[in-house]
Amino acid sequence: MPSPQPAPDRLEAIRAFNRFYTHRIGVLNDTLLGSPYSLAESRLLWELAHHEHTTATDLARTLDLDAGYLSRLLRRLKEQGLIDSTRSPTDARQTQLSLTPAGRAAFAPLDQRSREQIAALLTPLPEAHQQQLLQAMGTLQQLLGDDAPRQGHAPYLLRPHRAGDMGWVVSRHGALYAQEYRWDMRFEALVARLAADFIDHFDPTRETCWIAERDGHNIGCVFLVQARDETTQAPLPGVAQLRMLLVEPTARGLGLGHRLVHECERFARMAGYRRIVLWTNSLLTAARGIYQKAGYTMTASEPHHSFGHDLVGETWQKELT
């Protein structure tokens, strides 16, 4: 049964928000953030900076741009020496696009100014208001994105963590792993330490936690943190670590695990990380399948005795450049 037409006041409320936000971030100017590039050109530079090679077809699909308009944008950027094009080694009909060194040099200050602009928006807000803003933005993206829930499908919301979530993360890890793998309470203690470390050292510009929620109940989580040397705890430059991926049994089959891992990668790219690493165990076949499908590769494995069992620990990683 089709949904009723939205009330006129709802349409006007969204239009008013659009006018407010486009003015707030300055996208109505001829160029973006004081650069010589328009919003569309800047978005193209961002896509090319975060993909070693791509094609005009992929860009048109990703950005939902008219092919003719995209062709004109690319031509201007090529004329400025910012984009290089080569024939695909696997398909001669396809042309691969990438940034030239000059293109990367042009993108770097634009990327930095964008970070500074967002920092200027967030800095005046207290922590509780920042979390509220991030949650609202997550709701917008969830409801209006390509994976937005439709009638007949149970929706779920991805949001940042808030008070009470760490207790749930620790409790559900302990209970589920005891139930499904018979791991003892030392695993729950490990998760508690990791959760406490996350809160104690949380840097919202470099780290994130996604909580999946449905009908007011938490159904999944994942963390992305700054990777550190296990011995010295010194940060590993450019390396993020994915931790504590969990999906409740009642939410399995929705693709939630894949979505959580994807959101971590998206955040890592925006934060400037070059690699994501993670540690798992060989018997966690569902999680391993998610990592493999997302492009992670196993780089090391080692037997260990933990949580009352003989296990095989595995290190996986994904390069983001």
Side-chain angles (χ1 to χ4, degrees):
M1 183 175 180
S3 301
Q5 284 293 318
D9 59 334
R10 294 184 180 180
L11 299 179
E12 291 307 314
I14 292 177
R15 293 178 66 194
F17 174 79
N18 289 343
R19 292 192 297 270
F20 159 76
Y21 193 63
T22 52
H23 171 73
R24 190 71 174 85
I25 62 175
V27 299
L28 299 180
N29 299 326
D30 290 338
T31 59
L32 186 68
L33 297 170
S35 74
Y37 310 110
S38 67
L39 173 62
E41 290 169 335
S42 300
R43 187 70 170 85
L44 279 174
L45 290 173
W46 191 94
E47 287 293 333
L48 290 163
H50 290 83
H51 295 85
E52 185 175 358
H53 295 288
T54 188
T55 66
T57 301
D58 290 336
L59 288 171
R61 184 184 305 113
T62 299
L63 301 177
D64 195 22
L65 289 177
D66 173 77
Y69 177 54
L70 175 62
S71 178
R72 291 192 294 273
L73 291 174
L74 291 173
R75 184 167 61 250
R76 285 203 295 269
L77 294 176
K78 286 180 183 178
E79 290 171 352
Q80 297 174 52
L82 304 182
I83 296 179
D84 190 21
S85 59
T86 57
R87 287 291 177 190
S88 169
T90 57
D91 186 349
R93 297 168 298 177
Q94 290 281 357
T95 299
Q96 293 184 332
L97 303 172
S98 60
L99 286 184
T100 64
R104 295 194 174 277
F107 173 73
L110 184 62
D111 190 44
Q112 181 61 31
R113 288 174 200 155
S114 177
R115 292 177 187 277
E116 292 170 354
Q117 181 193 50
I118 300 304
L121 288 175
L122 291 177
T123 299
L125 301 178
E127 175 63 23
H129 290 179
Q130 291 190 26
Q131 291 291 343
Q132 186 179 0
L133 176 63
L134 291 171
Q135 181 178 347
M137 294 174 70
T139 302
L140 279 171
Q141 185 173 356
Q142 174 68 20
L143 294 178
L144 299 180
D146 292 337
D147 297 326
R150 301 293 182 244
Q151 282 189 317
H153 294 79
Y156 61 83
L157 165 71
L158 294 190
R159 60 167 177 81
H161 63 286
R162 61 191 180 206
D165 284 331
M166 293 303 113
W168 175 83
V169 168
V170 174
S171 172
R172 293 309 293 155
H173 271 82
L176 283 177
Y177 279 79
Q179 175 185 335
E180 297 183 355
Y181 303 103
R182 300 188 181 278
W183 289 7
D184 63 29
M185 293 182 67
R186 284 172 287 188
F187 177 65
E188 189 170 351
L190 171 62
V191 176
R193 285 192 293 272
L194 294 176
D197 285 344
F198 176 77
I199 295 298
D200 287 343
H201 305 292
F202 179 55
D203 176 359
T205 66
R206 305 287 293 166
E207 301 179 318
T208 191
C209 165
W210 289 108
I211 300 292
E213 182 181 293
R214 181 173 62 181
D215 298 330
H217 300 285
N218 294 349
I219 58 172
C221 66
V222 74
F223 292 69
L224 189 85
V225 300
Q226 167 70 63
R228 296 178 179 273
D229 183 274
E230 292 185 2
T231 303
T232 66
Q233 289 303 299
L236 300 177
V239 184
Q241 184 167 6
L242 188 151
R243 278 181 168 166
M244 295 186 284
L245 172 67
L246 179 140
V247 176
E248 287 281 2
T250 57
R252 293 171 187 171
L254 300 175
L256 177 55
H258 294 281
R259 175 75 185 280
L260 290 168
V261 170
H262 171 74
E263 291 299 328
C264 283
E265 179 180 338
R266 186 174 64 86
F267 179 91
R269 291 183 182 278
M270 293 177 62
Y273 287 110
R274 300 188 301 274
R275 178 187 307 149
I276 303 177
V277 299
L278 63 90
W279 184 81
T280 188
N281 282 277
S282 60
L283 83 168
L284 304 180
T285 54
R288 293 171 81 256
I290 291 172
Y291 302 141
Q292 190 170 22
K293 187 174 181 180
Y296 288 77
T297 56
M298 187 174 66
T299 58
S301 64
E302 184 177 4
H304 64 104
H305 185 85
S306 302
F307 323 127
H309 296 272
D310 291 325
L311 303 169
V312 178
E314 298 176 345
T315 301
W316 293 62
Q317 73 177 38
K318 181 174 184 178
E319 301 293 335
L320 301 181
T321 54

